[in-house]
Amino acid sequence: DIQMTQSPSSLSASVGDRVTITCRASQSIFTSLNWYQQKPGKAPQVLIYAASTLQSGVPSRFSGSGSGTDFTLTISSLQPEDSATYYCQQTFRTLISFGQGTRLEIK
Amino acid sequence: QVQLVQSGSELKKPGASVKVSCKASGYSFNDYAVNWVRQAPGQGLEWMGWINTNTGDPTYAQGLTGRFVFSLDTSVSTAYLEISSLKAEDTAMYFCARENYYAGSGYDDYWGQGTLVTVSS
C-alpha cells in the first residue's frame, strides 16, 4: 500500500495569510494526487486534481504543486470560509489512500 | 445536474446487516466508477474500495473483510454497500463518490451526502 503523510496535522492562521499544507507519498505517485476540503457534517469536495489542476468553481486562491513523492496545497490569501479539514488522496495505484488530514482553523 | 443521493441514517444492533444505497442522476451511470469512503466519528477519510459500473466487479481495500459487499442495480442507476455482522466499530458515516479521470488518474468529483450507520445495542 502507498502511505500518505500530511503535515501539519493542524494549523491556525489569520485571514489574508498564505497557508501551505504538504503531503508526502511513501513511493512515487507521479502526479496522481488530489486535494479535498471537508467542512463539518459535509461530504468532501475536490479542490485540486492531478496535483495541480483546479476543479471548476474552486476559487483561484487555491493551488497545488508537486510530483513524485512531495506535494503542496497552497491557499494564497486565507478567507474565513476556508476553515475546514484538508485531505490529500493518491490514485496512482488501484488501492487508493488518503492522508490523515490537516485541520485548518482561522484565528 | 449530477447528483448522488444516499439512503438515510440507520441504527442497527450488533450482528445485524445494513444496505446503503447511492442513487446517481444527471449522467450516464455506466461511464463512471463509484468509490466508497468511510469516516468514523471524529476521524479521517478511509477509502473502502470501488465498483466498476460496467462489469459490476468490485475492488476492496486491503483489510476490508468479507462483511462488506459492493453491488449495483444499473436499471435504477444505483450502487449499494452492504455490511453484514455489524460491529460497534462499523459506526461511521459512509460516502459514495463518482470517480472521474484526467490524464490517466482518478479523482472524486461528485459525492453523496453521506449515510450515518450507528451500531449499538
Side-chain angles (χ1 to χ4, degrees):
Chain A
D1 283 16
I2 298 176
Q3 309 301 318
M4 306 301 294
T5 304
Q6 286 183 235
S7 61
S9 296
S10 64
L11 75 152
S12 181
S14 300
V15 172
D17 282 355
R18 182 182 182 87
V19 170
T20 298
I21 298 169
T22 64
C23 181
R24 174 164 288 176
S26 59
Q27 65 183 79
S28 177
I29 57 171
F30 297 87
T31 56
S32 298
L33 190 284
N34 309 313
W35 290 98
Y36 297 86
Q37 177 192 67
Q38 187 182 31
K39 296 184 177 180
K42 300 293 188 181
Q45 295 185 2
V46 65
L47 300 173
I48 302 286
Y49 59 90
S52 60
T53 304
L54 190 69
Q55 170 71 344
S56 175
V58 173
S60 59
R61 63 180 179 274
F62 292 92
S63 64
S65 64
S67 66
T69 60
D70 294 310
F71 301 87
T72 299
L73 172 70
T74 299
I75 308 173
S76 61
S77 179
L78 193 64
Q79 299 301 303
E81 60 267 30
D82 299 335
S83 176
T85 301
Y86 294 83
Y87 295 92
C88 63
Q89 177 203 45
Q90 69 79 19
T91 56
F92 178 67
R93 294 293 188 199
T94 302
L95 301 182
I96 293 168
S97 49
F98 288 95
Q100 80 277 18
T102 295
R103 181 171 294 182
L104 173 57
E105 172 194 276
I106 310 297
K107 286 180 185 174
Chain B
Q1 73 282 22
V2 174
Q3 279 192 301
L4 297 175
V5 179
Q6 297 184 226
S7 48
S9 298
E10 300 270 8
L11 174 60
K12 295 290 185 179
K13 294 189 183 303
S17 296
V18 68
K19 194 169 187 176
V20 176
S21 66
C22 171
K23 182 171 176 57
S25 62
Y27 70 97
S28 177
F29 183 66
N30 289 28
D31 286 350
Y32 299 85
V34 172
N35 281 305
W36 288 95
V37 175
R38 175 169 64 180
Q39 187 168 39
Q43 302 302 306
L45 303 173
E46 177 189 6
W47 180 76
M48 301 175 67
W50 67 285
I51 186 163
N52 184 318
T53 53
N54 273 307
T55 64
D57 289 338
T59 298
Y60 299 99
Q62 284 186 1
L64 204 67
T65 71
R67 298 189 297 114
F68 297 83
V69 176
F70 306 148
S71 62
L72 301 172
D73 185 344
T74 56
S75 69
V76 290
S77 301
T78 301
Y80 299 95
L81 163 64
E82 186 165 17
I83 314 171
S84 58
S85 303
L86 282 162
K87 304 176 181 181
E89 54 261 40
D90 295 325
T91 294
M93 184 73 81
Y94 291 84
F95 295 100
C96 63
R98 186 183 87 160
E99 185 165 8
N100 205 340
Y101 286 91
Y102 177 79
S105 293
Y107 64 101
D108 297 319
D109 61 350
Y110 288 92
W111 291 66
Q113 81 276 21
T115 297
L116 179 62
V117 175
T118 303
V119 184
S120 174
S121 54

